[in-house]
Amino acid sequence: MGLRKHPDEFASYDPHESKQVTQIRTQVGIVGAGPAGLVLAHLLHLEGIDSVVLENRSRQHCEERIRAGVLEWGTVELLNQMGVGERMQREGLIHYGIEIRFGGRGHRIDFKDLTGRAITVYGQHEIIKDLIRARLESNGQIFFEVEDVSVHQFDTEYPSIRYRQDGNTHEIRCDFIAGCDGFHGICRPAIPTDALTVYERVYPFGWLGILAEAAPSSEELIYAYNDCGFALHSMRSPQITRLYLQCSPDEDLAKWPEDRIWQELQTRLADDSDWRLNEGPILQKGVTGMRSFVVEPMQYSRMFLAGDAAHIVPPTGAKGLNLAVADVRVLARALKHFYSLGRTNLLDQYSVTCLRRVWRVQRFSWWMTSMLHRHEGNPFDQRRQLAELDYVTSSRAASQSLAENYVGLPME
Ligand code: FAS
Ligand code: PHB
């Protein structure tokens, strides 16, 4: 781990300002209170390692932000081992399969038969609530609504994070910085661009997602390939349905009144039976663009990127949240190794270790997206997609490959 020495020569504080700078000392400074930052903070706490989490949004915003919904078995196992899974066990919905619908027919991918594993449907915002409560109950430090966060000297043995709150400047002095601040955060951009390689694919479509006060119309998730475009039926509880439909990446939500949304979802999710989607008041709607994105390496000296700060997957494979958790599980283990044995070998290997899973998950998410979304124009692609769907739902080997990736590959 090549580190610059003598950080004092890099002190950037003028005497006047430094008087207002309150200083906090911790072992790991974490930027971002999403799944990556909060799981990392609690994993470190369980190992007796001190951290501070900085979050620029309010606690309420973080706990109400509707995002992912599907947890891999490995994520569920880890949350339970961490002691934060009690409500998830009570309220989460355990699913042993998904349905793939095309050509008017549904085809069930039976996870139990093919992998012996299950997924759990439990909203990301619920996990955030559980993790914030666990952190605060164990006297963890999370500073919400901070401003102007910046990271400094992370290529020395004295990294620091500066931020403003209540009109004052604060500084966190730490041994390591974890950049868990998502795709639009400040940590990745702070790394010299010549030190990073970006791999990216932007898709020519996005998802219009809604949360509806309507009982789910199926016990399991339905992924539908339709001439009008992709649609997904998911859920959050026996009373709340989560639905998505393929749209253009810059879709104007104003052109999607409730009746149009429901009509399009009914069309795309229809099969040859008299099955119909339950409708109800739409509580929330939004458009999410789609990209595959990876930055290599996921670390720079004493700063480590985790989750969306390092990679983005199209949500078709339900992987974003799960990959963030897998990253910080590796990082927490490496930090424990450093603090208990004084060795940096696992920290030095962090990026290589994470990227093996990251690229397998990127492949699966790209594959699910390419198979299920109507691409403009080319009739060859549509026939190829139908052949792929037919193969996946009629070959045990092919459906087992989908199932083992969907429920989650074994963690490192
Ligand atoms: P997050 O983005 O969740 O968390 C980063 C945190 O850092 C945020 O709280 C942010 O406010 C904070 N932050 C950012 N900049 C900061 C700064 N300068 N200072 C301090 N804090 C800062 N994944 C799925 O699997 N299924 C889905 O259906 C799905 N839907 C999604 C919908 C949307 C609109 C988005 C954006 C993502 C979706 N994802 C989905 C992916 C999502 O679940 C992410 O993979 C997951 O939140 C990743 O967690 P984190 O890496 O912790 O990043
Ligand atoms: C969700 O429930 O939000 C969800 C489920 C499966 C996906 C994406 C999103 O692939």
Side-chain angles (χ1 to χ4, degrees):
M1 185 179 289
L3 297 172
R4 286 188 298 134
K5 295 291 185 192
H6 316 301
D8 294 346
E9 67 193 26
F10 301 98
S12 60
Y13 317 138
D14 68 345
H16 169 69
E17 187 190 34
S18 65
K19 288 195 187 74
Q20 299 145 16
V21 179
T22 58
Q23 292 195 340
I24 300 169
R25 180 74 180 90
T26 188
Q27 290 171 295
V28 183
I30 299 172
V31 184
L38 292 171
V39 169
L40 177 61
H42 207 61
L43 284 172
L44 294 176
H45 160 71
L46 295 172
E47 298 297 343
I49 300 169
D50 191 49
S51 69
V52 172
V53 179
L54 294 178
E55 166 60 50
N56 62 357
R57 306 305 295 267
S58 69
R59 173 175 180 178
Q60 181 183 357
H61 176 88
C62 294
E63 293 184 343
E64 293 178 354
R65 186 169 43 188
I66 301 299
R67 279 189 169 172
V70 169
L71 305 182
E72 295 176 349
W73 65 273
T75 302
V76 170
E77 207 167 62
L78 182 67
L79 293 172
N80 286 329
Q81 287 164 1
M82 291 167 63
V84 299
E86 189 269 333
R87 194 164 68 97
M88 173 184 66
Q89 289 175 49
R90 204 171 57 243
E91 299 176 13
L93 306 170
I94 298 177
H95 287 195
Y96 284 99
I98 57 171
E99 180 183 326
I100 293 184
R101 197 169 278 186
F102 65 99
R105 285 187 55 219
H107 307 263
R108 186 164 184 268
I109 305 291
D110 184 339
F111 294 155
K112 191 159 194 170
D113 170 44
L114 294 163
T115 70
R117 301 281 190 194
I119 57 168
T120 297
V121 176
Y122 185 66
Q124 175 173 321
H125 62 297
E126 302 299 353
I127 297 173
I128 295 297
K129 289 178 197 167
D130 297 340
L131 285 164
I132 289 174
R133 185 185 312 114
R135 292 303 308 122
L136 299 181
E137 283 173 357
S138 48
N139 300 317
Q141 289 186 291
I142 310 176
F143 297 126
F144 290 102
E145 300 182 83
V146 299
E147 300 169 330
D148 305 330
V149 176
S150 57
V151 288
H152 305 274
Q153 296 163 357
F154 46 85
D155 57 346
T156 74
E157 291 181 359
Y158 310 94
S160 63
I161 307 174
R162 306 187 86 206
Y163 64 98
R164 292 187 59 75
Q165 189 162 44
D166 305 330
N168 295 317
T169 300
H170 305 266
E171 181 185 67
I172 295 175
R173 295 261 168 138
C174 46
D175 302 326
F176 301 99
I177 295 174
C180 301
D181 50 350
F183 185 68
H184 301 290
I186 54 100
C187 289
R188 187 180 69 245
I191 296 174
T193 46
D194 59 3
L196 297 177
T197 303
V198 170
Y199 300 89
E200 186 168 25
R201 168 189 286 268
V202 179
Y203 297 88
F205 39 74
W207 279 8
L208 189 162
I210 67 168
L211 206 63
E213 194 172 334
S217 312
S218 162
E219 289 196 358
E220 295 177 333
L221 276 67
I222 303 171
Y223 287 80
Y225 176 90
N226 182 281
D227 291 345
C228 298
F230 168 80
L232 170 62
H233 166 279
S234 183
M235 68 289 288
R236 287 293 178 272
S237 74
Q239 297 77 32
I240 301 289
T241 302
R242 178 72 161 151
L243 292 149
Y244 300 92
L245 57 84
Q246 176 185 343
C247 64
S248 72
D250 54 359
E251 193 70 39
D252 180 358
L253 267 182
K255 294 180 178 168
W256 286 87
E258 289 207 12
D259 58 343
R260 183 185 176 197
I261 291 175
W262 286 116
Q263 184 184 352
E264 194 62 26
L265 284 166
Q266 295 288 4
T267 301
R268 297 187 188 187
L269 283 159
D271 62 11
D272 289 346
S273 74
D274 56 2
W275 182 92
R276 266 186 70 80
L277 200 55
N278 297 328
E279 300 185 9
I282 293 179
L283 307 173
Q284 198 187 75
K285 62 182 176 182
V287 172
T288 304
M290 277 205 185
R291 72 176 71 232
S292 298
F293 175 93
V294 180
V295 71
E296 290 189 11
M298 292 170 51
Q299 65 193 90
Y300 186 84
S301 192
R302 288 205 168 200
M303 181 152 79
F304 298 85
L305 303 177
D308 280 15
H311 41 67
I312 294 285
V313 284
T316 327
K319 291 301 169 198
L321 163 66
N322 295 290
L323 203 47
V325 171
D327 288 346
V328 295
R329 185 172 170 276
V330 172
L331 184 53
R333 186 173 56 201
L335 287 165
K336 175 194 171 186
H337 192 69
F338 171 79
Y339 283 112
S340 55
L341 302 175
R343 297 187 54 201
T344 65
N345 57 313
L346 294 188
L347 284 170
D348 296 341
Q349 287 298 308
Y350 165 74
S351 189
V352 169
T353 306
C354 288
L355 284 169
R356 183 160 186 261
R357 184 183 193 88
V358 166
W359 280 109
R360 285 181 168 194
V361 167
Q362 287 286 352
R363 180 212 66 85
F364 174 68
S365 303
W366 164 83
W367 175 73
M368 284 284 280
T369 302
S370 304
M371 176 171 68
L372 287 161
H373 289 73
R374 293 280 293 187
H375 308 294
E376 290 319 311
N378 191 331
F380 171 84
D381 276 336
Q382 289 151 24
R383 283 290 182 273
R384 174 193 54 79
Q385 286 175 314
L386 287 169
E388 183 122 53
L389 289 163
D390 175 46
Y391 174 56
V392 165
T393 54
S394 58
S395 153
R396 182 176 177 80
S399 50
Q400 193 160 38
S401 171
L402 187 159
E404 73 169 355
N405 280 279
Y406 197 94
V407 300
L409 299 171
M411 291 204 182
E412 292 289 333

